[in-house]
Amino acid sequence: MGRIILFNKPFGVLSQFTDRGTPEARATLSDFINVPQVYPAGRLDRDSEGLLILTDDGALQARIASPRHKTPKTYRVQVEGEADAESIGRLRAGVVLNDGPTRPAEARRIEPPRLWPRDPPVRFRKSVADSWLEIIITEGRNRQVRRMTAAVGYPTLRLVRVRIGAWELGDLVPGEWREVE
């Protein structure tokens, strides 16, 4: 097996090493990781945070990123509103999105997790409650978790990936990485 790096991707960072063709430079992996020949295994949207695996092993990259391998990915998701049992049941059954139905997800309501402060902070509205979910998916479509929670009536406010397969984020702080031995 090749090199495996676990990285806590901060909010606002692209899951790539370069950002060409945009008028303003945006933060990329190269702002945090200076390890040659490693590439992200999958991606995490710019406005999502948490675990990103980088590797120089193409087969491992494919195993993590390809939906056919069904690698579970675990997210802590802050949603707008008080998520109810019916909506969580819909996530568990699979949700129909504009690009077709999702696989059933593992989903449950959780207490607010202990996380680092986000910069910028999540918008707060006194008149609208929020709640936290743990969602485990085995796919990885573009913005899938966000689209799933919106489809059941609870837009995502904050999304943090904490696990991919057997690898966990652990105590890595945003912008920090470690190599798995």
Side-chain angles (χ1 to χ4, degrees):
M1 189 181 306
R3 294 181 88 170
I4 298 173
I5 292 174
L6 307 181
F7 175 57
N8 187 344
K9 188 192 88 59
F11 179 87
V13 174
L14 296 173
S15 294
Q16 58 198 41
F17 281 97
T18 60
D19 183 27
R20 295 189 189 109
T22 56
E24 283 189 36
R26 298 179 290 182
T28 67
L29 299 177
S30 62
D31 294 315
F32 300 91
I33 301 169
N34 186 18
V35 177
Q37 304 300 314
V38 295
Y39 302 95
R43 64 197 174 280
L44 206 57
D45 298 324
R46 184 172 174 223
D47 53 354
S48 298
E49 309 163 72
L51 182 60
L52 187 65
I53 296 177
L54 294 96
T55 183
D56 61 358
D57 182 334
L60 177 60
Q61 260 184 312
R63 215 169 37 249
I64 291 169
S66 173
R68 76 169 183 228
H69 293 288
K70 299 180 182 165
T71 302
K73 297 162 189 83
T74 305
Y75 299 85
R76 303 281 189 267
V77 187
Q78 183 181 21
V79 296
E80 187 174 88
E82 293 281 343
D84 60 24
E86 178 185 338
S87 296
I88 292 170
R90 289 177 58 203
L91 294 169
R92 289 178 182 155
V95 178
V96 177
L97 302 175
N98 62 357
D99 56 351
T102 67
R103 289 186 187 137
E106 292 181 43
R108 66 185 180 102
R109 191 154 167 183
I110 60 172
E111 291 297 316
R114 292 180 51 159
L115 296 170
W116 52 89
R118 195 183 85 176
D119 184 23
V122 172
R123 66 182 157 88
F124 175 74
R125 296 186 340 196
K126 284 184 184 179
S127 62
V128 180
D130 62 49
S131 53
W132 283 87
L133 303 173
E134 178 183 78
I135 298 177
I136 303 172
I137 61 171
T138 57
E139 298 176 280
R141 298 186 206 177
N142 187 36
R143 302 180 69 80
Q144 180 175 341
V145 172
R146 290 176 185 281
R147 294 189 299 140
M148 289 174 71
T149 63
V152 299
Y154 297 96
T156 294
L157 299 172
R158 187 173 184 190
L159 189 142
V160 180
R161 184 162 56 199
V162 295
R163 186 180 191 95
I164 300 172
W167 296 285
E168 288 189 78
L169 184 61
D171 58 1
L172 288 174
V173 297
E176 189 175 67
W177 61 273
R178 75 170 167 269
E179 192 160 351
V180 176
E181 303 196 17

